[in-house]
Amino acid sequence: MLGEVYTLYLLTLVAFFVGPPDATEFLVMSNTVRHGKRGTRLTILGDLSANAVQMTIAAFGLAALVAQAGWVLGAVKWAGVAYLAYLGLTTLLSKPGRVQAEVVPGRRLVWQGFVNSMVNPWPIMFFAALFPQFITAGDPILPQLLLLGVTYLMFDFVQLVFWAWSARKLSERMDLLNGPWLTRVSGTLMLLAAGFLALKDIEIERG
């Protein structure tokens, strides 16, 4: 891959990631507020794992097949929205004392991050459209795809850590990590994640 092509790819990712938080960011912020740095790490791990799977699907040319299964994708997407909404509502309705004392299994936090990203097929289409634009003809394809994919995951990781850090600092400054505010903030962020995922799905179905 030529250096100028990779530089253009980096600039494209910078432009892509600069913007307001989305469903994944809201989920990461919610688990950061509620479960601290452990929640941040494990939720991000789940998200990046889902992205890696989606990149693999796109790389093997399955994006067109995925796009054709409209009703299946619709069911999966809205199941994901319902799952996030359920998490948000149960968090809002839980007792503050119990939530603060709760030790959530790590696999549950990883699963939340994975499901949140995996139920949205948009990244598969995104990767399928993005990667070919930066592939240098004549060079081996697999190393180029690997470089593009790893670079994307690094950008995604950095921006998720930024949003998690911002949520933590804001919560500490506003003293929202104690009492009923803990569940209210965490639950609200999860509901926002569900809402943003639902809105993105609507845009995809209309577009």
Side-chain angles (χ1 to χ4, degrees):
M1 179 181 294
L2 299 176
E4 55 267 27
V5 175
Y6 185 66
T7 300
L8 180 59
Y9 178 67
L10 295 178
L11 294 175
T12 301
L13 291 184
V14 170
F16 173 74
F17 281 112
V18 173
D22 207 336
T24 299
E25 288 78 10
F26 280 121
L27 178 63
V28 171
M29 288 189 286
S30 173
N31 282 344
T32 296
V33 169
R34 191 177 181 189
H35 304 295
K37 294 180 180 179
R38 176 173 175 268
T40 302
R41 292 194 302 269
L42 296 177
T43 307
I44 291 177
L45 175 61
D47 170 70
L48 297 184
S49 299
N51 286 162
V53 173
Q54 291 162 331
M55 288 177 191
T56 303
I57 293 174
F60 278 92
L62 300 178
L65 180 62
V66 171
Q68 292 176 2
W71 69 271
V72 176
L73 294 180
V76 172
K77 288 184 289 187
W78 288 107
V81 172
Y83 175 67
L84 290 174
Y86 166 77
L87 292 177
L89 289 174
T90 53
T91 301
L92 285 172
L93 297 175
S94 60
K95 296 181 180 180
R98 290 177 58 190
V99 172
Q100 290 176 314
E102 181 183 12
V103 178
V104 178
R107 62 181 179 276
R108 185 187 303 177
L109 297 174
V110 175
W111 178 247
Q112 289 178 10
F114 183 86
V115 169
N116 176 72
S117 291
M118 202 62 200
V119 296
N120 185 8
W122 179 83
I124 298 176
M125 313 306 171
F126 173 75
F127 295 134
L130 177 69
F131 288 169
Q133 309 302 319
F134 301 95
I135 294 295
T136 301
D139 291 344
I141 300 297
L142 186 58
Q144 294 184 76
L145 288 174
L146 184 60
L147 176 61
L148 294 174
V150 171
T151 302
Y152 178 92
L153 293 177
M154 291 174 61
F155 269 77
D156 195 17
F157 173 79
V158 170
Q159 66 96 20
L160 289 176
V161 169
F162 167 77
W163 284 112
W165 175 84
S166 300
R168 184 72 181 182
K169 289 300 180 182
L170 181 61
S171 299
E172 291 174 349
R173 177 166 297 184
M174 298 179 66
D175 194 27
L176 301 181
L177 298 181
N178 297 307
W181 281 108
L182 176 66
T183 55
R184 293 172 186 172
V185 172
S186 181
T188 299
L189 288 171
M190 283 191 180
L191 290 177
L192 285 172
F196 270 74
L197 181 59
L199 289 175
K200 178 173 288 187
D201 290 344
I202 292 173
E203 292 171 359
I204 293 171
E205 290 163 0
R206 289 180 178 175

